[in-house]
């Protein structure tokens, strides 16, 4: 076994750390407060090659590995998970699936600008009545010969109003159930698309979330990804990879909260000494550190399995479940260590705690990860 990172992986981690600590931190509180989309940061991160990290150079990406993606996600999420979720959706749910299953024409037209950061992508799976139960798609894509006619509503769409390209999951043959579902590439400016109001969220407030409504939207037949009926498996595979990104995000949120808690505990005095010298605080920090280290190892293992083309379905569910749950625990402890200061915005840990909550919900709730893990366990 080898736990050492390569020179390149260390450089990528450092680049992400530098960007987060120097740039993202500057306006993160204001963006969170006013729910401002991080437009400038997304552009800058694209220039660093972070919007399509794992896209091969022949499709205008930097061709980095998944381990590097985890390292970058951790560093960015320590400071600002709203920005890192935009990056994660573009990288894993949009670019990954397009690179793996898109046609050459689709890659030329969509993957290249997505990897360069000229386009931003969104992934449209959830519906008002199909969240965890993803097979129950009500949005329809009727085969009209040369195009699909799309009608329906998608919910909770990350980057909905800023994305240029939507990967849309919709039902074409209801009688075939999940084998009747297709994945379509949709231009977000197509006639018949409208957005619901901006969702006023508890956390991740500067990432932009809307419902997207489709009324008789025409999507060219050549925009279908893979064979007719491949859409559900496509979505599951995109999510399987995407969960590594969200796991790394949750890891970063926890690691960011731990760093802040350690710094505060070494500085804040109570009962005549730094609070870090009190066993109640020192032991809490030790437990937080252990959880963060376990989370990091689960993320890196899932990424390594993926990079080595091995089965990572259970590993990504393990990582997503564990990292999200410990992110909630570690951020809650970080707020507790900060006392009253932890409850005000200036000290960041209350924001990290709000951000942590969403990692237990999106890209498959913690309960869904247990379904994935237990099914794999019982089937193997
Ligand atoms: N690769 C290949 N095939 C897969 C697969 C995978 N990763 N996962 C499932 N399948 C196949 C199954 O083998 C099965 O095939 P058969 O019918 O031939 O046996 C088929 O797909 C259906 O699978 P299940 O029977 O397991 O289906 P299910 O209805 O019981 O549900 C589920 C499975 C895991 C619960 C799934 O519905 C799921 O993942 N739900 C959560 C959805 C989700 O994560 N939503 C997140 C939205 S995106 C988001 O949040 C982005 C964001 O904003 C950040």
């Amino acid at each position: 076994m080898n736990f050492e990172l390569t020179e390149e992986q260390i450089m990528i981690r450092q680049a992400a750390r530098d960007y987060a600590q120097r740039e993202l931190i500057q306006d993160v509180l204001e963006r969170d407060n006013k729910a401002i989309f991080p437009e400038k940061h997304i552009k800058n991160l694209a220039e660093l090659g972070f919007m399509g990290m794992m896209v091969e150079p022949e499709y205008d990406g930097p061709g980095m590995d998944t381990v590097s993606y985890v390292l970058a996600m951790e560093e960015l999420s320590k400071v600002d998970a709203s920005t890192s979720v935009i990056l994660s959706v573009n990288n894993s749910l949009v670019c990954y699936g397009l690179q793996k299953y898109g046609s050459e024409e689709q890659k030329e037209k969509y993957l290249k600008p997505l990897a360069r950061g000229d386009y931003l992508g969104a992934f449209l799976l959830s519906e008002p009545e199909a969240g965890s139960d993803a097979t129950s798609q009500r949005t329809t894509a009727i085969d009209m010969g040369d195009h699909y006619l799309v009608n329906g509503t998608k919910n909770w769409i990350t980057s909905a109003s800023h994305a240029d390209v939507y990967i849309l999951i919709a039902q074409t043959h209801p009688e075939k159930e999940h084998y009747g579902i297709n994945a379509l590439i949709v231009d977000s400016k197509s006639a018949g698309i409208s957005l619901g109001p901006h969702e006023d969220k508890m956390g991740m407030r500067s990432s932009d979330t809307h419902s997207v409504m489709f009324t008789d939207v025409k999507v060219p037949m050549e925009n279908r990804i893979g064979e007719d009926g491949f859409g559900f498996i496509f979505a599951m595979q995109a999510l399987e990879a995407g969960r590594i990104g969200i796991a790394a995000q949750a890891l970063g949120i926890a690691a960011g909260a731990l760093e802040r808690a350690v710094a505060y505990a070494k500085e804040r005095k109570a009962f005549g000494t730094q609070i870090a010298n009190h066993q109640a605080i020192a032991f809490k920090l030790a437990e937080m550190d252990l959880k963060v280290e376990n989370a990091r190892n689960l993320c890196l293992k899932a990424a390594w399995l993926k990079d080595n083309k091995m089965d990572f379905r259970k590993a990504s569910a393990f990582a997503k479940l564990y990292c999200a749950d410990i992110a909630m625990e570690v951020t809650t402890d970080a707020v507790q260590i900060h006392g009253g200061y932890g409850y005000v915005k200036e000290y960041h840990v209350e924001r990290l705690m709000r951000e942590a909550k969403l990692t237990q919900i999106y890209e498959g709730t913690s309960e869904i990860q247990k379904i994935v893990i237990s099914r794999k366990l019982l089937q193997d």
Side-chain angles (χ1 to χ4, degrees), residues 85-336:
V85 71
I86 300 165
L87 185 136
S88 177
V89 167
N90 204 67
N91 271 287
S92 345
L93 296 184
V94 179
C95 289
Y96 169 74
L98 269 178
Q99 175 159 265
K100 193 161 178 202
Y101 294 110
S103 66
E104 280 310 310
E105 294 72 27
Q106 290 169 350
K107 289 181 191 175
E108 190 64 37
K109 192 166 170 194
Y110 298 105
L111 181 60
K112 282 186 171 183
L114 282 162
R116 290 195 300 268
D118 295 342
Y119 283 176
L120 185 64
F123 184 75
L124 284 68
L125 171 68
S126 301
E127 297 188 354
E129 289 172 73
S132 290
D133 184 9
T135 53
S136 299
Q137 294 289 309
R138 299 233 171 129
T139 298
T140 52
I142 307 297
D143 184 340
M144 306 297 281
D146 63 339
H147 67 271
Y148 286 101
L149 195 64
V150 177
N151 281 285
T153 299
K154 293 289 173 179
N155 249 23
W156 314 123
I157 305 306
T158 300
S159 303
S161 79
H162 286 79
D164 305 278
V165 178
Y166 292 159
I167 303 290
L168 171 74
I169 309 299
Q171 180 60 268
T172 300
H173 312 284
E175 70 288 358
K176 294 187 184 165
E177 300 179 340
H178 59 279
Y179 284 113
I181 292 173
N182 278 312
L184 307 177
I185 307 169
V186 183
D187 179 339
S188 67
K189 308 291 177 305
S190 305
I193 295 182
S194 57
L195 299 183
H198 171 91
E199 301 288 355
D200 192 9
K201 305 194 298 289
M202 173 205 247
M204 310 266 184
R205 290 179 48 75
S206 75
S207 117
D208 149 69
T209 311
H210 295 256
S211 299
V212 183
M213 279 80 79
F214 294 80
T215 311
D216 291 337
V217 177
K218 288 183 178 173
V219 180
M221 192 56 70
E222 65 265 24
N223 280 22
R224 186 185 72 216
I225 303 172
E227 294 296 310
D228 189 17
F230 179 61
F232 186 73
I233 303 296
F234 173 86
M236 289 298 109
Q237 297 217 347
L239 284 168
E240 191 172 290
R243 285 166 187 160
I244 300 177
I246 298 303
Q249 174 181 66
L251 158 68
I253 293 169
L258 174 62
E259 283 179 10
R260 287 185 181 277
V262 168
Y264 185 80
K266 281 167 63 177
E267 184 195 298
R268 170 79 180 175
K269 288 191 177 152
F271 304 102
T273 183
Q274 280 90 350
I275 60 170
N277 294 329
H278 296 299
Q279 198 179 66
I281 302 296
F283 279 15
K284 203 185 271 300
L285 289 170
E287 283 163 16
M288 291 158 77
D289 194 21
L290 173 62
K291 288 175 185 173
V292 168
E293 185 63 14
N294 281 337
R296 188 175 290 120
N297 286 335
L298 283 174
C299 281
L300 289 171
K301 181 171 178 198
W304 183 88
L305 289 171
K306 176 169 170 283
D307 286 337
N308 286 282
K309 315 222 172 314
M310 292 156 89
D311 182 355
F312 61 92
R313 190 185 303 184
K314 195 158 95 171
S316 72
F318 271 162
K320 166 76 169 58
L321 172 63
Y322 185 78
C323 294
D325 285 353
I326 70 99
M328 207 55 237
E329 292 164 13
V330 170
T331 54
T332 306
D333 283 343
V335 169
Q336 189 69 17

Side-chain angles (χ1 to χ4, degrees), residues 27-79:
D27 56 350
V28 66
L29 291 179
E30 193 195 358
R31 280 188 287 103
D32 175 67
N33 200 17
K34 299 185 183 160
I36 301 170
F37 188 81
E39 191 116 39
K40 164 186 89 179
H41 296 299
I42 294 300
K43 251 189 208 117
N44 294 342
L45 289 164
E47 273 166 31
L48 289 170
F50 284 175
M51 293 310 287
M53 292 184 74
M54 292 157 289
V55 176
E56 293 304 328
E58 63 176 307
Y59 300 114
D60 292 354
M64 300 177 202
D65 59 10
T66 315
V67 167
S68 301
Y69 172 53
V70 164
L71 298 171
M73 279 297 293
E74 178 183 344
E75 292 305 323
L76 298 172
S77 308
K78 279 181 185 174
V79 175

Side-chain angles (χ1 to χ4, degrees), residues 347-365:
Y347 283 78
H348 295 271
V349 285
E350 66 81 34
R351 177 176 55 81
L352 292 168
M353 184 175 154
R354 286 187 279 113
E355 289 171 344
K357 186 62 212 166
L358 192 48
T359 68
Q360 293 181 309
I361 298 173
Y362 62 18
E363 290 205 25
T365 60

